[in-house]
Amino acid sequence: MNLYDAVLTLVYPQSCVICSSSVEQRRFGVACERCWRETRIFADEEEICWKCGAPGPACGRCDEMAFTVARAVGVYEGALRESVLQLKRRPHLPQHVQRLLMTAVSRAPLGSCTRVVPVPLHPKRLKTRGFNQASIVAEAVAKALELPIDDVSLVRVSSTEKYRAGLDRKGRRDTVAGAFTVSHPRLVAGERILLVDDVFTTGATVSACAAALLDSGARNVFVLTIGRA
Ligand SMILES: [Zn+2]
Ligand SMILES: [Zn+2]
């Protein structure tokens, strides 16, 4: 703990949202160092499905998904899950999460991307929340990679109100299919897109986004998320 953190701990005591012990360093965000250590972060040599990034060997469930590959920082649990939930409340990404994202994006083939695109929020929800959490992640990644961020080309056109618990996998896919369109195809044509979102759950949303981008001439769509459910 450096002096700055020590003073901040006194002024803004922050307790870990998981275990309630004190968060020693601001860069850890809402969770303490011990809870971060207990959260599963994917390592360089991790065995994952090459396409969708699921832990383990080729999963066989992602064949129909439109994106080229999908990668995440780690499993959507513990400190990663709490960081994502906090990001929906406050448009800020702690330094530690930024560093983990940079490690994930530096691995092949994501490092070859040329343009960063956040998964758009439905305009209605954007109005209520005031910001798009995927844009906050995309901005941090684009800045670090010195790449252009493009939050105008990909547009969410239909409401996904039907996207609720109770729908099976196919139902969810049908609900989001066609929910996205590309308004500026010339900006994405020939590009290797890094599509950024907070969580990869079923993959239906990022797959629908990827389909729209590829239809508009994008060369590849690589997906990067913080957590993987
Ligand atoms: Zn903790
Ligand atoms: Zn897979």
Side-chain angles (χ1 to χ4, degrees):
M1 194 189 289
N2 62 31
L3 183 62
Y4 178 70
D5 284 318
V7 169
L8 271 171
T9 306
L10 291 175
V11 183
Y12 305 107
Q14 161 87 57
S15 51
C16 173
V17 292
I18 301 167
C19 73
S20 302
S21 73
S22 108
V23 178
E24 308 83 348
Q25 296 176 56
R26 256 159 71 88
R27 67 187 173 96
F28 289 123
V30 292
C32 72
E33 190 167 9
R34 202 188 50 169
C35 287
W36 270 111
R37 270 202 306 270
E38 284 169 5
T39 302
R40 187 162 165 209
I41 306 294
F42 297 142
D44 288 341
E45 66 280 8
E46 194 83 35
E47 190 191 18
I48 52 169
C49 173
W50 191 84
K51 183 171 175 187
C52 75
C59 78
R61 296 185 302 268
C62 57
D63 296 347
E64 286 172 34
M65 293 187 184
F67 51 78
T68 313
V69 301
R71 295 291 182 267
V73 165
V75 176
Y76 186 59
E77 62 172 25
L80 276 184
R81 181 171 175 274
E82 294 303 329
S83 301
V84 166
L85 294 175
Q86 174 70 2
L87 180 63
K88 291 186 204 284
R89 297 187 283 259
R90 248 190 89 206
H92 170 75
L93 206 55
Q95 252 179 47
H96 187 61
V97 180
Q98 291 190 33
R99 194 181 305 169
L100 293 172
L101 279 164
M102 289 322 295
T103 305
V105 82
S106 68
R107 295 182 191 129
L110 272 64
S112 66
C113 59
T114 55
R115 194 169 192 84
V116 183
V117 175
V119 169
L121 211 56
H122 187 269
K124 228 189 277 172
R125 193 170 301 170
L126 184 62
K127 214 171 166 189
T128 335
R129 191 174 292 164
F131 64 93
N132 176 5
Q133 76 277 9
S135 294
I136 307 300
V137 185
E139 275 163 24
V141 173
K143 196 175 163 201
L145 295 176
E146 297 180 353
L147 287 175
I149 179 164
D150 177 351
D151 54 8
V152 294
S153 293
L154 188 63
V155 182
R156 197 184 279 251
V157 283
S158 73
S159 167
T160 51
E161 305 276 273
K162 286 176 280 175
Y163 185 88
R164 283 197 190 132
L167 284 180
D168 60 7
R169 188 182 284 272
K170 187 178 176 301
R172 288 190 185 187
R173 197 166 57 218
D174 293 345
T175 307
V176 289
F180 299 92
T181 186
V182 173
S183 61
H184 299 81
R186 248 183 304 166
L187 293 179
V188 303
E191 300 279 345
R192 289 186 294 271
I193 305 288
L194 185 70
L195 179 67
V196 177
D197 206 358
D198 51 358
V199 189
F200 184 110
T201 309
T202 63
T205 302
V206 288
S207 184
C209 290
L213 290 162
L214 292 166
D215 278 351
S216 297
R219 200 193 305 178
N220 297 112
V221 177
F222 308 129
V223 177
L224 176 66
T225 61
I226 295 177
R228 194 180 200 301

